[in-house]
mmCIF file of all heavy atoms in Angstrom:
data_model
loop_
_atom_site.group_PDB
_atom_site.id
_atom_site.type_symbol
_atom_site.label_atom_id
_atom_site.label_comp_id
_atom_site.label_asym_id
_atom_site.label_seq_id
_atom_site.Cartn_x
_atom_site.Cartn_y
_atom_site.Cartn_z
ATOM 1 N N SER O 26 -9.378 -2.187 3.993
ATOM 2 C CA SER O 26 -9.585 -0.880 3.371
ATOM 3 C C SER O 26 -8.291 -0.087 3.458
ATOM 4 O O SER O 26 -7.458 -0.316 4.332
ATOM 5 C CB SER O 26 -10.704 -0.126 4.084
ATOM 6 O OG SER O 26 -11.924 -0.785 3.934
ATOM 7 N N THR O 27 -8.139 0.842 2.551
ATOM 8 C CA THR O 27 -6.910 1.618 2.494
ATOM 9 C C THR O 27 -7.200 3.111 2.439
ATOM 10 O O THR O 27 -8.297 3.521 2.059
ATOM 11 C CB THR O 27 -6.086 1.243 1.249
ATOM 12 O OG1 THR O 27 -6.912 1.375 0.087
ATOM 13 C CG2 THR O 27 -5.584 -0.194 1.339
ATOM 14 N N MET O 28 -6.228 3.893 2.868
ATOM 15 C CA MET O 28 -6.322 5.342 2.714
ATOM 16 C C MET O 28 -4.988 5.862 2.197
ATOM 17 O O MET O 28 -3.932 5.270 2.490
ATOM 18 C CB MET O 28 -6.721 6.037 4.003
ATOM 19 C CG MET O 28 -5.666 6.105 5.093
ATOM 20 S SD MET O 28 -4.395 7.400 4.873
ATOM 21 C CE MET O 28 -5.354 8.858 5.082
ATOM 22 N N TYR O 29 -5.051 6.938 1.431
ATOM 23 C CA TYR O 29 -3.866 7.508 0.820
ATOM 24 C C TYR O 29 -3.885 9.022 0.981
ATOM 25 O O TYR O 29 -4.938 9.646 1.040
ATOM 26 C CB TYR O 29 -3.820 7.186 -0.680
ATOM 27 C CG TYR O 29 -3.780 5.710 -0.976
ATOM 28 C CD1 TYR O 29 -4.940 4.981 -1.184
ATOM 29 C CD2 TYR O 29 -2.559 5.037 -1.038
ATOM 30 C CE1 TYR O 29 -4.895 3.627 -1.431
ATOM 31 C CE2 TYR O 29 -2.506 3.690 -1.294
ATOM 32 C CZ TYR O 29 -3.678 2.979 -1.489
ATOM 33 O OH TYR O 29 -3.633 1.635 -1.738
ATOM 34 N N ALA O 30 -2.680 9.574 1.021
ATOM 35 C CA ALA O 30 -2.577 11.025 0.961
ATOM 36 C C ALA O 30 -3.148 11.500 -0.373
ATOM 37 O O ALA O 30 -3.027 10.802 -1.387
ATOM 38 C CB ALA O 30 -1.122 11.447 1.091
ATOM 39 N N ASP O 31 -3.777 12.658 -0.383
ATOM 40 C CA ASP O 31 -4.378 13.176 -1.612
ATOM 41 C C ASP O 31 -3.357 13.267 -2.745
ATOM 42 O O ASP O 31 -3.692 13.039 -3.907
ATOM 43 C CB ASP O 31 -4.977 14.562 -1.353
ATOM 44 C CG ASP O 31 -6.244 14.506 -0.528
ATOM 45 O OD1 ASP O 31 -6.841 13.406 -0.409
ATOM 46 O OD2 ASP O 31 -6.643 15.543 0.018
ATOM 47 N N SER O 32 -2.126 13.560 -2.398
ATOM 48 C CA SER O 32 -1.096 13.771 -3.403
ATOM 49 C C SER O 32 -0.700 12.492 -4.143
ATOM 50 O O SER O 32 -0.065 12.568 -5.204
ATOM 51 C CB SER O 32 0.149 14.391 -2.764
ATOM 52 O OG SER O 32 0.609 13.587 -1.695
ATOM 53 N N VAL O 33 -1.067 11.327 -3.596
ATOM 54 C CA VAL O 33 -0.661 10.063 -4.233
ATOM 55 C C VAL O 33 -1.850 9.207 -4.665
ATOM 56 O O VAL O 33 -1.654 8.139 -5.254
ATOM 57 C CB VAL O 33 0.263 9.232 -3.312
ATOM 58 C CG1 VAL O 33 1.434 10.078 -2.826
ATOM 59 C CG2 VAL O 33 -0.497 8.640 -2.140
ATOM 60 N N LYS O 34 -3.053 9.653 -4.376
ATOM 61 C CA LYS O 34 -4.237 8.865 -4.733
ATOM 62 C C LYS O 34 -4.271 8.571 -6.224
ATOM 63 O O LYS O 34 -4.029 9.454 -7.044
ATOM 64 C CB LYS O 34 -5.509 9.623 -4.337
ATOM 65 C CG LYS O 34 -5.897 9.473 -2.890
ATOM 66 C CD LYS O 34 -7.179 10.246 -2.585
ATOM 67 C CE LYS O 34 -7.522 10.174 -1.110
ATOM 68 N NZ LYS O 34 -8.697 11.001 -0.768
ATOM 69 N N GLY O 35 -4.587 7.313 -6.537
ATOM 70 C CA GLY O 35 -4.662 6.904 -7.934
ATOM 71 C C GLY O 35 -3.319 6.514 -8.523
ATOM 72 O O GLY O 35 -3.260 5.975 -9.627
ATOM 73 N N ARG O 36 -2.232 6.779 -7.793
ATOM 74 C CA ARG O 36 -0.894 6.439 -8.298
ATOM 75 C C ARG O 36 -0.184 5.407 -7.426
ATOM 76 O O ARG O 36 0.605 4.615 -7.931
ATOM 77 C CB ARG O 36 -0.032 7.710 -8.379
ATOM 78 C CG ARG O 36 -0.600 8.780 -9.280
ATOM 79 C CD ARG O 36 0.382 9.941 -9.451
ATOM 80 N NE ARG O 36 0.671 10.633 -8.214
ATOM 81 C CZ ARG O 36 1.892 10.742 -7.688
ATOM 82 N NH1 ARG O 36 2.930 10.203 -8.307
ATOM 83 N NH2 ARG O 36 2.084 11.400 -6.550
ATOM 84 N N PHE O 37 -0.447 5.431 -6.135
ATOM 85 C CA PHE O 37 0.215 4.527 -5.198
ATOM 86 C C PHE O 37 -0.780 3.478 -4.699
ATOM 87 O O PHE O 37 -1.970 3.774 -4.527
ATOM 88 C CB PHE O 37 0.750 5.287 -3.984
ATOM 89 C CG PHE O 37 1.942 6.175 -4.251
ATOM 90 C CD1 PHE O 37 2.335 6.515 -5.531
ATOM 91 C CD2 PHE O 37 2.678 6.673 -3.178
ATOM 92 C CE1 PHE O 37 3.422 7.330 -5.761
ATOM 93 C CE2 PHE O 37 3.775 7.496 -3.396
ATOM 94 C CZ PHE O 37 4.135 7.829 -4.695
ATOM 95 N N THR O 38 -0.264 2.281 -4.420
ATOM 96 C CA THR O 38 -1.097 1.204 -3.883
ATOM 97 C C THR O 38 -0.340 0.486 -2.774
ATOM 98 O O THR O 38 0.790 0.043 -2.985
ATOM 99 C CB THR O 38 -1.474 0.196 -4.978
ATOM 100 O OG1 THR O 38 -2.138 0.868 -6.043
ATOM 101 C CG2 THR O 38 -2.395 -0.880 -4.416
ATOM 102 N N ILE O 39 -0.975 0.377 -1.627
ATOM 103 C CA ILE O 39 -0.390 -0.368 -0.512
ATOM 104 C C ILE O 39 -0.986 -1.769 -0.494
ATOM 105 O O ILE O 39 -2.173 -1.956 -0.753
ATOM 106 C CB ILE O 39 -0.639 0.367 0.830
ATOM 107 C CG1 ILE O 39 0.114 -0.310 1.978
ATOM 108 C CG2 ILE O 39 -2.130 0.476 1.145
ATOM 109 C CD1 ILE O 39 0.074 0.467 3.290
ATOM 110 N N SER O 40 -0.132 -2.751 -0.219
ATOM 111 C CA SER O 40 -0.601 -4.137 -0.129
ATOM 112 C C SER O 40 0.275 -4.868 0.865
ATOM 113 O O SER O 40 1.333 -4.377 1.257
ATOM 114 C CB SER O 40 -0.565 -4.826 -1.497
ATOM 115 O OG SER O 40 0.766 -4.889 -1.986
ATOM 116 N N GLY O 41 -0.177 -6.049 1.264
ATOM 117 C CA GLY O 41 0.577 -6.774 2.269
ATOM 118 C C GLY O 41 0.525 -8.267 2.067
ATOM 119 O O GLY O 41 -0.350 -8.786 1.365
ATOM 120 N N ASP O 42 1.470 -8.939 2.692
ATOM 121 C CA ASP O 42 1.578 -10.390 2.616
ATOM 122 C C ASP O 42 1.923 -10.898 4.007
ATOM 123 O O ASP O 42 3.079 -10.809 4.427
ATOM 124 C CB ASP O 42 2.652 -10.775 1.598
ATOM 125 C CG ASP O 42 2.717 -12.266 1.348
ATOM 126 O OD1 ASP O 42 2.284 -13.044 2.228
ATOM 127 O OD2 ASP O 42 3.219 -12.659 0.290
ATOM 128 N N ASN O 43 0.929 -11.414 4.717
ATOM 129 C CA ASN O 43 1.180 -11.897 6.077
ATOM 130 C C ASN O 43 2.132 -13.078 6.097
ATOM 131 O O ASN O 43 2.908 -13.235 7.041
ATOM 132 C CB ASN O 43 -0.132 -12.279 6.758
ATOM 133 C CG ASN O 43 -0.869 -11.075 7.307
ATOM 134 O OD1 ASN O 43 -0.279 -10.022 7.561
ATOM 135 N ND2 ASN O 43 -2.168 -11.213 7.503
ATOM 136 N N ALA O 44 2.102 -13.911 5.077
ATOM 137 C CA ALA O 44 2.975 -15.082 5.048
ATOM 138 C C ALA O 44 4.450 -14.689 4.991
ATOM 139 O O ALA O 44 5.319 -15.401 5.485
ATOM 140 C CB ALA O 44 2.622 -15.960 3.855
ATOM 141 N N LYS O 45 4.728 -13.522 4.397
ATOM 142 C CA LYS O 45 6.111 -13.061 4.259
ATOM 143 C C LYS O 45 6.454 -11.948 5.239
ATOM 144 O O LYS O 45 7.568 -11.425 5.218
ATOM 145 C CB LYS O 45 6.365 -12.574 2.828
ATOM 146 C CG LYS O 45 6.259 -13.663 1.779
ATOM 147 C CD LYS O 45 6.568 -13.112 0.394
ATOM 148 C CE LYS O 45 6.516 -14.222 -0.641
ATOM 149 N NZ LYS O 45 6.797 -13.712 -2.010
ATOM 150 N N ASN O 46 5.496 -11.564 6.084
ATOM 151 C CA ASN O 46 5.711 -10.439 7.013
ATOM 152 C C ASN O 46 6.161 -9.190 6.257
ATOM 153 O O ASN O 46 7.092 -8.484 6.667
ATOM 154 C CB ASN O 46 6.762 -10.785 8.081
ATOM 155 C CG ASN O 46 6.209 -11.698 9.149
ATOM 156 O OD1 ASN O 46 5.093 -12.202 9.034
ATOM 157 N ND2 ASN O 46 6.975 -11.915 10.187
ATOM 158 N N ARG O 47 5.477 -8.905 5.188
ATOM 159 C CA ARG O 47 5.943 -7.839 4.310
ATOM 160 C C ARG O 47 4.772 -6.961 3.850
ATOM 161 O O ARG O 47 3.674 -7.468 3.605
ATOM 162 C CB ARG O 47 6.658 -8.453 3.113
ATOM 163 C CG ARG O 47 7.620 -7.545 2.384
ATOM 164 C CD ARG O 47 8.337 -8.331 1.311
ATOM 165 N NE ARG O 47 9.252 -9.316 1.879
ATOM 166 C CZ ARG O 47 9.856 -10.256 1.166
ATOM 167 N NH1 ARG O 47 9.621 -10.347 -0.135
ATOM 168 N NH2 ARG O 47 10.680 -11.107 1.738
ATOM 169 N N VAL O 48 5.046 -5.689 3.718
ATOM 170 C CA VAL O 48 4.086 -4.749 3.155
ATOM 171 C C VAL O 48 4.761 -4.019 2.005
ATOM 172 O O VAL O 48 5.951 -3.685 2.083
ATOM 173 C CB VAL O 48 3.586 -3.752 4.212
ATOM 174 C CG1 VAL O 48 2.747 -2.650 3.590
ATOM 175 C CG2 VAL O 48 2.757 -4.483 5.255
ATOM 176 N N TYR O 49 3.992 -3.766 0.955
ATOM 177 C CA TYR O 49 4.528 -3.150 -0.248
ATOM 178 C C TYR O 49 3.879 -1.790 -0.488
ATOM 179 O O TYR O 49 2.750 -1.530 -0.057
ATOM 180 C CB TYR O 49 4.266 -4.039 -1.456
ATOM 181 C CG TYR O 49 4.801 -5.432 -1.313
ATOM 182 C CD1 TYR O 49 3.968 -6.483 -0.928
ATOM 183 C CD2 TYR O 49 6.142 -5.721 -1.560
ATOM 184 C CE1 TYR O 49 4.451 -7.765 -0.792
ATOM 185 C CE2 TYR O 49 6.636 -7.007 -1.429
ATOM 186 C CZ TYR O 49 5.793 -8.028 -1.040
ATOM 187 O OH TYR O 49 6.277 -9.293 -0.896
#
């Protein structure tokens, strides 16, 4: 599950890749 600041909701998306040790 994800949470966002109100100012960015609907525009920003957080995601991650454990295989690459990376978050976007």
Side-chain angles (χ1 to χ4, degrees):
S26 295
T27 54
M28 73 79 67
Y29 299 92
D31 287 344
S32 56
V33 308
K34 278 181 184 175
R36 301 187 297 120
F37 289 14
T38 303
I39 187 172
S40 62
D42 186 337
N43 279 338
K45 295 182 178 179
N46 284 8
R47 201 175 291 170
V48 172
Y49 304 99

